[in-house]
Amino acid sequence: MGASSNIVHQYFKKEWEGIKILVKVNPIHWKGIEITVDEEGNAEGRELTFDPEIFEDLKADGFTEASPLEFNLYAAGLA
């Protein structure tokens, strides 16, 4: 196992006009993944780079803490 296995990622979500947005944040390297799920359940992911203010930005944008399970189900295409 690499050093990245010791990182505890943080997860957030927001629902807006029928769209669900889930975000996974690596708080050490400021990298992450955003998954957007449309009304039909189609999911699309993209890799992101964050700055140290990401947690304040997510809160200001109405995101709440989310479950790692929920994020990973969408990431694996199982939800």
Side-chain angles (χ1 to χ4, degrees):
M1 289 188 193
S4 66
S5 64
N6 295 327
I7 297 170
V8 176
H9 294 92
Q10 293 179 262
Y11 300 85
F12 301 88
K13 71 178 176 179
K14 175 181 177 178
E15 292 190 40
W16 179 69
E17 296 184 0
I19 304 291
K20 182 181 286 192
I21 303 169
L22 299 129
V23 178
K24 173 182 171 180
V25 178
N26 173 328
I28 304 298
H29 301 289
W30 303 114
K31 304 258 183 215
I33 300 172
E34 175 186 85
I35 299 174
T36 304
V37 184
D38 67 20
E39 294 175 327
E40 289 81 39
N42 301 311
E44 183 176 317
R46 64 185 182 129
E47 293 185 16
L48 301 171
T49 301
F50 303 115
D51 60 34
E53 288 78 35
I54 184 58
F55 301 114
E56 293 169 21
D57 294 343
L58 288 168
K59 185 176 181 179
D61 288 342
F63 281 82
T64 58
E65 289 188 36
S67 159
L69 177 60
E70 181 179 14
F71 180 93
N72 285 301
L73 285 171
Y74 280 107
L78 299 173

